[in-house]
Amino acid sequence: MKILVCISHVPDTTSKINFTEDDSKFDTNGVQFVINPNDEFGLTRAMWLKEKQGANVTVVNVGGAETEPTLRKALAIGADAAIRVNTPATDSFSVAKQLANVVKDGEYDLVIAGRESIDYNGGMVPGMIAGLTNANFVNNCIGLEVDGNSATATREIDGGKETLSTSLPLIIGGQKGLVDESELRIPNMRGIMMARKKPLTIVEPIESNQETTSIKFEKPAAKGAVKLVSEDNLDELINLLHNEAKVI
């Protein structure tokens, strides 16, 4: 079984976010980048399938040379090979089109993408890949088993979970729950050394139109001042909640 894991190169959530050019572009200066958390759950599940069923795992990213450390980390975790499509990730459709081309060329049985990336939170790429490749698709996936050419997937729905039976080729949009957080892997020294010898192939992009453009970014409003009320002054607390916060 050939598995392709889509890896987004995203800012660490602890990074301080700023914008340039009149708040129209994200400022990458001083920002630490990591594997998108939803993608990391997917990569870990792919590693489980590799170890249990002998699957071959390739990771792919759409981006410039600055994303290669993130791909190398995925290789150190245990992926067999990496592909970087040499073009900036500008919008969901263009990214999905590049990834769909990789999927078709590699004839992958299973494509694992994160439900969404934590930077733009678009949540569109996995479904678009499925549409462009005419593959089955399960989003919000929190469980996956593969047996031959058949797959059983569990997805999160409002108020519960739904289990589906489908066939390969399959695209999933994975998220937390696909594996337990305790199962996420930290590269060890042996993995890091082996990753240097694994192939990282750079492919040029196919022609694709950019369908959306970011016009302006805006930070959330700063939190207001906090008033502290002594634990023995219940009357004042009730008065503030009723007359100022107006929540009771």
Side-chain angles (χ1 to χ4, degrees):
M1 178 170 57
K2 294 180 65 177
I3 302 175
L4 182 69
V5 182
C6 303
I7 299 292
S8 291
H9 174 78
V10 300
D12 190 301
T13 53
T14 62
S15 298
K16 186 176 181 180
I17 302 301
N18 290 301
F19 304 104
T20 60
E21 298 184 27
D22 195 27
D23 291 338
S24 65
K25 289 189 177 180
F26 173 57
D27 185 3
T28 60
N29 290 322
V31 175
Q32 177 69 33
F33 284 83
V34 298
I35 298 174
N36 180 51
N38 286 321
D39 301 340
E40 193 168 4
F41 288 116
L43 176 59
T44 304
R45 194 59 180 173
M47 297 311 306
W48 186 88
L49 290 167
K50 175 183 175 179
E51 292 162 2
K52 299 293 183 182
Q53 301 183 14
N56 181 274
V57 178
T58 299
V59 292
V60 62
N61 167 263
V62 177
E66 71 280 357
T67 70
E68 289 189 10
T70 298
L71 286 173
R72 287 291 180 193
K73 181 179 178 182
L75 291 172
I77 288 172
D80 299 293
I83 298 170
R84 178 173 67 81
V85 183
N86 189 30
T87 186
T90 52
D91 74 333
S92 297
F93 178 74
S94 60
V95 168
K97 192 169 182 180
Q98 301 302 331
L99 292 174
N101 186 57
V102 172
V103 173
K104 291 174 183 177
D105 283 350
E107 298 181 342
Y108 293 95
D109 304 296
L110 174 64
V111 178
I112 302 177
R115 179 192 67 181
E116 62 182 359
S117 60
I118 63 169
D119 46 8
Y120 291 98
N121 298 104
M124 294 182 282
V125 171
M128 288 179 173
I129 297 172
L132 291 166
T133 59
N134 197 32
N136 294 322
F137 174 54
V138 178
N139 204 18
N140 302 328
C141 191
I142 55 173
L144 178 66
E145 299 285 346
V146 179
D147 183 10
N149 196 46
S150 299
T152 301
T154 302
R155 70 185 186 104
E156 192 174 65
I157 60 174
D158 288 342
K161 297 184 289 186
E162 179 183 33
T163 300
L164 305 166
S165 177
T166 185
S167 61
L168 305 181
L170 172 66
I171 317 289
I172 71 163
Q175 63 179 59
K176 181 179 179 180
L178 193 56
V179 296
D180 293 332
E181 286 190 71
S182 61
E183 296 179 87
L184 296 177
R185 305 181 182 194
I186 299 174
N188 55 32
M189 185 55 66
R190 181 172 182 271
I192 293 170
M193 296 301 291
M194 290 180 64
R196 296 177 181 177
K197 300 178 181 180
K198 293 179 179 179
L200 196 165
T201 304
I202 300 170
V203 300
E204 292 305 313
I206 60 172
E207 185 177 348
S208 176
N209 295 327
Q210 182 174 337
E211 302 293 337
T212 59
T213 302
S214 297
I215 298 172
K216 188 177 181 67
F217 294 97
E218 185 176 346
K219 293 183 180 181
K223 294 182 179 179
V226 176
K227 289 186 178 180
L228 299 177
V229 179
S230 172
E231 62 181 8
D232 57 2
N233 197 345
L234 184 59
D235 290 340
E236 183 182 357
L237 175 60
I238 293 174
N239 177 61
L240 289 170
L241 291 173
H242 182 71
N243 296 309
E244 188 168 320
K246 300 186 185 300
V247 293
I248 60 173

